[in-house]
Amino acid sequence: MGLDISKRDGITIAVLNGDIDGKTAPGIQEQVLPLATEDCKLILDMGQVEYMSSAGLRMLLSVRRQVPASGRVILVGLSEAIKDTMAITGFIDFFTSCETLNEGIAALK
């Protein structure tokens, strides 16, 4: 599992690649939670994530709960399988999601 964090126009972009499971989710959460600050604009680019277990769902929910009301978090590039899992479990309702990184950036401006 890899995680690359960058900034663009005041927006923090965390690009995740690889599977998110019980082994990798805690490390990702440890790196992403500090990004969930007051007035944050955070994009989690999941275009390179092929598999996400329930540990990944819990990690996403922890990040969402950490973001103050003044902040925003957007998921981009969700695969159909992950989108379906999030829809079935109701997790998709907690997030704004966009197809592409550019759409996510535009949604935060």
Side-chain angles (χ1 to χ4, degrees):
M1 180 74 218
L3 177 65
D4 182 39
I5 300 170
S6 62
K7 285 232 181 212
R8 185 190 309 175
D9 299 328
I11 298 169
T12 303
I13 302 166
V15 180
L16 295 82
N17 60 55
D19 295 342
I20 304 174
D21 55 26
K23 291 181 182 178
T24 60
I28 297 166
Q29 182 173 323
E30 185 176 298
Q31 294 176 66
V32 173
L33 279 181
L35 305 174
T37 60
E38 192 75 28
D39 298 323
C40 73
K41 294 180 180 179
L42 176 61
I43 291 177
L44 299 178
D45 184 342
M46 299 181 61
Q48 298 174 41
V49 176
E50 294 181 23
Y51 170 78
M52 184 169 61
S53 72
S54 60
L57 292 173
R58 283 190 304 275
M59 180 272 304
L60 288 177
L61 190 57
S62 292
V63 170
R64 179 64 194 103
R65 287 181 174 163
Q66 182 74 23
V67 174
S70 62
R72 296 203 41 216
V73 60
I74 292 181
L75 305 178
V76 300
L78 294 171
S79 70
E80 285 302 315
I82 293 174
K83 220 185 285 187
D84 288 346
T85 299
M86 290 183 73
I88 289 168
T89 59
F91 277 67
I92 200 76
D93 297 333
F94 297 118
F95 296 92
T96 299
S97 64
C98 297
E99 294 297 317
T100 67
L101 181 58
N102 287 337
E103 288 176 10
I105 291 170
L108 288 173
K109 288 189 173 182

